[in-house]
Amino acid sequence: MSSDTTLDDDDTFKILIATDIHLGYLEKDAIRGNDSFTTLEEILKCAKTNQVDFILLGGDLFHENKPSRRCLHSCITMLRRYCMGDKPINFNILSDQTVNFNTTQFPWVNYQDENLNISIPVFSIHGNHDDPTGAEGLCALDLISASGLVNHFGHSHSVEKIEISPILMQKGITKLALFGLGSIPDERLYRMFVNNQVTMLRPKEDQDEWFNLFTIHQNRSKHGPTNYIPEQFLDDFIDLVVWGHEHECLIAPTRNEQQLFYVTQPGSSVATSLSPGEAIKKHVGLLRVKGRKMNMQKIPLKTVRQFFIQDVVLADYQDIFTPETPQVTKKMEDLCYAKVTEMLEQAERERLGCPLTPEKPLIRLRVDYSGGFEPFNTSRFSQKFVDRVANLKDVIHFLRHREQREDNKDEVNVDYGKLLKTTAVEGLRVEDLVKQYFEATEQNVQLSLLTEHGMGKAIQEFVDKDEKDAIEELITYQLEKTQLHLQARGVTTEQDIDLEIQRFRDSKKNTTEEENEIKEAINRAKAHRLERGDEPVDIGDLAMESDEDMAPLAAPTRGRGRGARGRGSRGRGRGATASEPKPAGRSRSQKSSTATQSRSIMQGEGVSFQAPSQRSTRPGANNSYAEEMTIDDSDEDIPAMKTTRPPPRPASSSSSFTKFSSQSQSQSTKGVAFDDSDDDEDNPFKGPSRSRR
């Protein structure tokens, strides 16, 4: 098979994958204001050049929940310029579009709208920055969707139970099931997964023929007991997970050995925090799917501003200076100046031959001044690099590591300042700080009545929402519950009371009962505040900016740039979907081939639902079938190839779905083979057991 037909035949989906574009980030900054807009235009140009079938966005298209008029105008302008045209769409949608696109009054894919001329459809879920809010549950993405430029999917209206219904697509013989789940508070979604309240629907017929692609926007790395989504929570029938929200670019798919699917993390297209994860070169992915095989090609982004970061530990330079050295501050500045100059020279070398890269790079030098050193004036130091760096105000960042904890033998006279030294706390919540504190303390100052989680929640309410009675009410409520428990158990001796209190406390850890007690105590505190007539002060609502806008105080291992604002009550109700979709068709003759298969796969009398107790096994459980995948690690662009496309093959018009609970277990396995040979590099779908056609 020739390379042209291999890469661009009538059975191959070509999908451009990107996440976390953060359009409008620092748009008022004189230097960096246009960065996000320039990179979005590059992504759309890349999609048009490679003649992709559609673009898949993994959330956070916008940086702000309420984008500015300039931001919305620029987004609409670019989508109209690059995604509208006469190029025919060569795949069909078979599923019930009233279910897939349930946030709009036009519940059908935009390229089937007779009033629009779409050449590249864009499918997107929402992220935590541009998530739905208000009584109507609308977000900025819904505005773009109503204008017909983006297909917003993956919006769950229920906060109690989630059913993820896929968009079923077919191109030639290739069947693609596109699942999506927009951003939900991690703690809530974690609890829903644990309680088997997340269900993924699958077509009941021909399950082994569908390539299952899932897009999610949640914490992937663990930031707390329940403040992330473990990969093993996801169903094992999935073939590839596109993970948004994490900003570190890990676009080469990695295999989850437990669930036996692959995960790709495209990362952000603009650096929204000065952390190491953001310094990794930014890419988007060109995914090709043919049958049950896939190939991921990395495409480097050339318009992204360069970012370099280094760490300096002053204690490692004792041969040059110590805290007692005369003019130690000047010597510290000279060392930092040399390090910053070194990074600027590296940026200049890498920028040669790439005119699209912005001239001024982002520079961050993190200086550990532990050991008695004193920080110098960073503003005065940064003035040495005017017109050379893009982030003049935060080139230098001072931090100190936590010093060793001392033993506390005196239970009464405890020096709490020594138990938890001033340290870097970037990205940490109050709840996390409380947990860290009690992990660092001696046994004699541990909690005996409250749990660390409960105390953390109460302090968080006090700090974030000024609930002055939250801690007192939690203690009072827990005291009442413990007293009733001891009375019911008939415990009388002091030793037995201590043991029973400890047992009672441990039995409630990480349970629904603990959550309910915390909510009850917080509700009591709110009631007392209302009785006094105090006005609530919700600091979480006042500070809507994300943590990436703050100067990092720690040495995080990854750059995420996740939003810090609250994503609490959204006022959503269980929306009713229309019973009949709008007949989808195109008035233009060149696109009429896609309108022939508008019958819904979820409609009709033949639709049935089944909820098995266990997930069905993957087709690759035996050695006779091997799902294949290749990864193109090169940063070279593969030129787009034009081919003639015959009309799509007719697709099946009726099917049914099977429900799969996200927590059901399976002993199935998947065989996945990589074709890493140097031969036939142009054929990403060549498998070890398949001969060329």
Side-chain angles (χ1 to χ4, degrees), residues 424-437:
V425 291
E426 179 188 8
L428 290 179
R429 303 168 303 158
V430 174
E431 183 181 349
D432 300 325
L433 293 175
V434 172
K435 183 179 179 182
Q436 286 187 6
Y437 169 76

Side-chain angles (χ1 to χ4, degrees), residues 507-525:
S507 67
K508 295 186 295 182
K509 278 189 175 181
N510 301 323
T511 63
T512 306
E513 181 183 359
E514 181 187 25
E515 292 287 341
N516 293 336
E517 290 180 357
I518 295 171
K519 290 179 182 178
E520 177 63 27
I522 292 173
N523 289 337
R524 286 189 180 188

Side-chain angles (χ1 to χ4, degrees), residues 14 32 78 105 128 281 345 400 425 543 641 647 681:
K14 292 179 65 178
R32 304 163 64 185
M78 285 186 280
Q105 296 185 23
N128 60 303
K281 191 172 180 61
E345 291 173 353
R400 278 192 305 182
V425 291
M641 304 168 208
E681 289 183 353

Side-chain angles (χ1 to χ4, degrees), residues 447-569:
L447 293 172
S448 58
L449 186 64
L450 305 179
T451 62
E452 291 85 356
H453 177 60
M455 177 61 80
K457 284 288 188 182
I459 295 178
Q460 190 171 18
E461 288 289 319
F462 175 77
V463 173
D464 291 347
K465 300 184 179 180
D466 201 27
E467 291 291 354
K468 299 181 175 62
D469 299 325
I471 301 174
E472 179 183 355
E473 282 299 329
L474 180 63
I475 295 174
T476 303
Y477 185 76
Q478 292 284 10
L479 183 61
E480 293 173 358
K481 294 274 292 185
T482 306
Q483 288 172 341
L484 292 174
H485 176 76
L486 294 176
Q487 292 174 4
R489 298 298 295 266
V491 182
T492 55
T493 65
E494 183 175 347
Q495 184 177 2
D496 291 342
I497 289 176
D498 290 339
L499 290 175
E500 189 61 35
I501 290 176
Q502 183 69 25
R503 232 182 260 119
F504 181 60
R505 173 181 173 274
D506 294 341
S507 67
K508 295 186 295 182
K509 278 189 175 181
N510 301 323
T511 63
T512 306
E513 181 183 359
E514 181 187 25
E515 292 287 341
N516 293 336
E517 290 180 357
I518 295 171
K519 290 179 182 178
E520 177 63 27
I522 292 173
N523 289 337
R524 286 189 180 188
K526 291 179 180 178
H528 285 180
R529 171 173 50 76
L530 293 175
E531 289 176 3
R532 295 194 303 267
D534 293 345
E535 291 295 329
V537 180
D538 192 344
I539 300 174
D541 291 338
L542 293 177
M544 297 293 284
E545 292 293 333
S546 56
D547 0 340
E548 61 262 85
D549 297 330
M550 306 177 188
L553 300 175
T557 58
R558 51 190 322 133
R560 301 176 293 101
R562 55 184 300 274
R565 58 180 183 77
R567 295 175 294 175
S569 174

